Amino acid sequence: MISEKALNAILMSLLFCVPLWAWVSDEPFTITLATRAVIFALAAVGLNVALGLGGLVSLGHAVFFGIGGYAMGILAFHAQTYSPLMEWPFTISGTKLMPVIWLMAILFSGAAAFIIGLLSLRTTGVYFIMITLAFGQMFFFFAISWPAYGGEDGLSIYIRNSFPGMNTLDPIQFFGICFAILSLVLLLNVRLVKSPFGLALNAARQSSERVEAVGLDPFRLRLIALVISGMICGLAGALFADLNRFVSPTMFSWQMSGELIVFIVLGGLGRTFGPVAGATLFVVLEHALGGIGEYFLFFLGLLLLVVVLFARGGLYGVITGRADR
């Protein structure tokens, strides 16, 4: 068995070195796969703040992922068509600058998480799961019926957005941007877990009554966690849309929310780097078994069943010999 810190280092090193090898070998598709894994990992890390640390089983996190994607799509669409986003009471134009798009994705996703949290966190258990699922479906069908931005057909962006000083059309450079963001978010997540807020949130997950007894408000703790989680997922959605240069209502689908939970369960619930391992494994299996069509999901289901029954600590539990936290 190896230590968790060593496993973290190995995982991040592989995720960084494989695209570099692909770049040297002129294999751009492998770089794109690695970028996809990094973005999925970022979204799962965001969900893990609410699920792994706060104990909030959400089937609606695709809402924040989709809002981030549409924030990118709408801003880039108005920039490429030279049409203003809004003309009254003042003019707002679109933009192709990634930092501005990321900021908008984070702000709108955080605002949505705050509003959804105010309503959904008044419930618990299966009721919380169902109300988050309901919000996800509301956004999904709203996007389908929004013809201004493609409706059911989605919205295509002709050229990937720009980042100062970099050529984002170069796959390795775009991967570098995504990997740097993931590393930064993981670092912030490590600090969050060890902070007084993280300790209080973890305590609220285990026993709300004891947290209330020492004068803390579990509702407020969970609401803050949900907002942080939503903002990270929104950022991941903007990057995912930029990777594909396309946004569609499927980014809001409950299947997307379910996949994020699968990433966390596969990697290890509550582990800081568990979602990274789970997302990477998912993308590798999707590529390796994708040739067998829809049966890929059958084998993924079998793997998930084995993990839940016999390896409840996920990949991290199996390799480090420690169960879920």
Side-chain angles (χ1 to χ4, degrees), residues 94-113:
T95 180
K96 299 286 287 184
L97 278 175
M98 284 185 178
V100 177
I101 290 172
W102 298 342
L103 178 60
M104 292 298 102
I106 290 171
L107 289 178
F108 280 104
S109 299

Side-chain angles (χ1 to χ4, degrees), residues 229-258:
S229 178
M231 290 191 295
I232 297 173
C233 281
L235 177 57
L239 291 171
F240 186 73
D242 236 332
L243 172 67
N244 299 316
R245 283 173 276 181
F246 178 74
V247 292
S248 74
T250 56
M251 293 185 70
F252 288 111
S253 68
W254 68 267
Q255 290 95 332
M256 186 72 247
S257 297

Side-chain angles (χ1 to χ4, degrees), residues 23 31 160 167-175:
W23 176 57
I31 301 174
R160 184 170 292 154
N167 177 17
T168 57
L169 292 177
D170 184 0
I172 193 64
Q173 293 193 45
F174 185 65
F175 167 81

Side-chain angles (χ1 to χ4, degrees), residues 14-90:
L14 285 174
L15 199 55
F16 181 74
C17 292
V18 168
L20 286 182
W21 167 83
W23 176 57
V24 173
S25 304
D26 194 23
E27 296 283 349
F29 180 70
T30 302
I31 301 174
T32 300
L33 282 181
T35 307
R36 180 181 173 89
V38 166
I39 294 172
F40 278 158
L42 179 63
V45 168
L47 174 57
N48 201 37
V49 173
L51 176 57
L53 193 59
L56 302 174
V57 183
S58 168
L59 269 179
H61 262 60
V63 168
F64 317 126
F65 191 75
I67 287 175
Y70 269 85
M72 187 289 292
I74 291 171
L75 289 171
F77 170 77
H78 284 278
Q80 73 183 14
T81 57
Y82 302 100
S83 60
L85 183 63
M86 186 173 70
E87 294 182 307
W88 189 90
F90 45 83

Side-chain angles (χ1 to χ4, degrees), residues 63-64 67 106-122 135 219-220 222-231:
V63 168
F64 317 126
I67 287 175
I106 290 171
L107 289 178
F108 280 104
S109 299
F114 180 76
I115 295 171
I116 291 173
L118 285 177
L119 299 173
S120 61
L121 287 173
R122 301 180 186 279
F135 274 112
F219 179 87
R220 181 177 298 178
R222 290 170 179 147
L223 180 60
I224 294 173
L226 191 64
V227 171
I228 295 173
S229 178
M231 290 191 295

